Amino acid sequence: MADRDRTQIHQTHLYPQSQHRYEGGMKDILPRKGPSTSQILAMVTLIPVGGSLLGLAGIILAGTLTALALATPLFLICSPVLVPAAILLIGAVTGFLTSGAFGLTGLSSFSWLFNSFRQATGQGPMEYGRQTVREGIMQAGEKTKQVGEMVGEKTKQTGEGIKTKAGQEGGGGGGGREGGART
């Protein structure tokens, strides 16, 4: 029994429990790890690239469908001529494949951008935006409070200065209303 008490005291002295206390402040609210410079540059370049690729995919798809709709009746009328049919078929297949490749490339770049942003900030873009707005409102409130206190102090100092000035003019000259009523 005595040995057990002795080891318990020994362990308490060797390994004291550290107590954590809350420090507070903006450092605990802000994310610890932000996006790196290369990630930001990649995001900035991928947004226009992905958008332009998606736009090109849509334009090529629309052009391919229009050309196919216009050329199909011509193909039916001139069916004995197989060379134009082969050209039309090759053009349609090429258009669909190109449109699909541009579309997949654009969507995959946006997907990479979204995942990279989520990994860099630890949250999705909407949550990050909400948190940023919330922090901005908190900072604006604190700044407004500080400015209000400063304006209050300046007003108080100005009022005291006016009182002091009025006391010096009224007490020394005796030429005011009160001075004339006393005599």
Side-chain angles (χ1 to χ4, degrees):
M1 179 103 164
D3 290 338
R4 185 180 62 172
D5 292 338
R6 215 177 284 146
T7 58
Q8 205 172 23
I9 292 170
H10 180 69
Q11 287 177 351
T12 304
H13 288 290
L14 284 179
Y15 306 105
Q17 293 180 349
S18 62
Q19 294 182 355
H20 300 284
R21 61 177 211 204
Y22 176 70
E23 294 294 327
M26 291 300 287
K27 289 182 182 176
D28 292 335
I29 296 172
L30 297 174
R32 303 242 183 245
K33 177 184 165 191
S36 67
T37 306
S38 61
Q39 287 175 333
I40 291 172
L41 289 174
M43 288 179 199
V44 167
T45 48
L46 279 181
I47 287 175
V49 169
S52 61
L53 287 175
L54 283 175
L56 280 173
I59 291 171
I60 291 174
L61 179 65
T64 302
L65 289 176
T66 304
L68 189 62
L70 292 175
T72 301
L74 183 63
F75 173 66
L76 291 175
I77 292 172
C78 302
S79 59
V81 182
L82 295 177
V83 173
I87 292 173
L88 175 68
L89 189 61
I90 290 172
V93 168
T94 304
F96 280 120
L97 290 178
T98 306
S99 170
F102 280 155
L104 282 176
T105 305
L107 287 176
S108 66
S109 67
F110 278 128
S111 173
W112 182 88
L113 178 71
F114 182 75
N115 288 334
S116 174
F117 185 82
R118 186 183 308 159
Q119 287 176 358
T121 60
Q123 52 196 348
M126 291 302 288
E127 292 85 21
Y128 183 74
R130 285 185 191 126
Q131 180 182 356
T132 305
V133 167
R134 203 174 303 128
E135 291 169 2
I137 290 171
M138 286 175 41
Q139 288 177 352
E142 290 175 11
K143 191 68 172 176
T144 303
K145 183 179 176 183
Q146 291 173 357
V147 168
E149 290 172 356
M150 185 180 69
V151 167
E153 287 294 320
K154 292 289 184 182
T155 305
K156 186 177 179 181
Q157 290 174 1
T158 304
E160 289 173 358
I162 291 172
K163 282 183 185 178
T164 307
K165 201 176 210 184
Q168 289 174 354
E169 289 177 5
R177 272 197 248 165
E178 293 176 9
R182 288 185 189 162
T183 45

